[in-house]
Amino acid sequence: EGVIVACPVIARKFDGIAIKHLTYEHPDVNDVLTQTLQTKLIKAGIEPNAKVKFDSTYANPKTKLVTIKGIQNKANFCPVIVEGTAETVAFSWQVGIGHLTGSGFGSLC
């Protein structure tokens, strides 16, 4: 069962030209979320043995454009599933999931 997000989750990927916002249905989104969390784990000195994915069984996922500092970001309203050790799962609750977590996106509840 997925963890409900308190704030929308933003997933971004640089395609070599521009940053693309990924929705919950994009084929690469779970890899991007996982890599983002693993990068944060490495910076914190924790073994990066976690995986993140949107809950594909959730009946009502949505996306919405959210503006922060004049920039529109495509955000996902969909529960996430975090797999890993107790330490990595607890870490994800502390730092959030996805990009722009410092601005409040990707908070778990």
Side-chain angles (χ1 to χ4, degrees):
E1 183 175 314
V3 176
I4 302 298
V5 291
C7 297
V9 175
I10 294 179
R12 303 183 303 179
K13 181 179 180 181
F14 184 66
D15 68 2
I17 298 171
I19 293 174
K20 302 289 183 188
H21 288 86
L22 307 181
T23 65
Y24 58 87
E25 55 198 357
H26 191 282
D28 294 336
V29 73
N30 295 331
D31 292 336
V32 169
L33 293 176
T34 294
Q35 184 59 48
T36 302
L37 178 58
Q38 289 178 348
T39 298
K40 292 175 183 183
L41 288 163
I42 290 168
K43 288 182 180 181
I46 301 171
E47 184 70 28
N49 56 359
K51 290 186 177 182
V52 182
K53 61 184 177 181
F54 281 112
D55 185 349
S56 61
T57 66
Y58 183 63
N60 197 22
K62 296 178 183 177
T63 60
K64 181 178 180 180
L65 283 179
V66 178
T67 303
I68 182 168
K69 295 185 179 179
I71 299 172
Q72 289 188 327
N73 297 276
K74 189 176 286 185
N76 297 280
F77 291 88
C78 183
V80 295
I81 297 170
V82 180
E83 299 173 347
T85 64
E87 182 180 29
T88 57
V89 172
F91 182 82
S92 71
W93 282 77
Q94 295 294 317
V95 300
I97 296 297
H99 294 99
L100 299 177
T101 55
S103 296
F105 292 96
S107 298
L108 304 179
C109 63

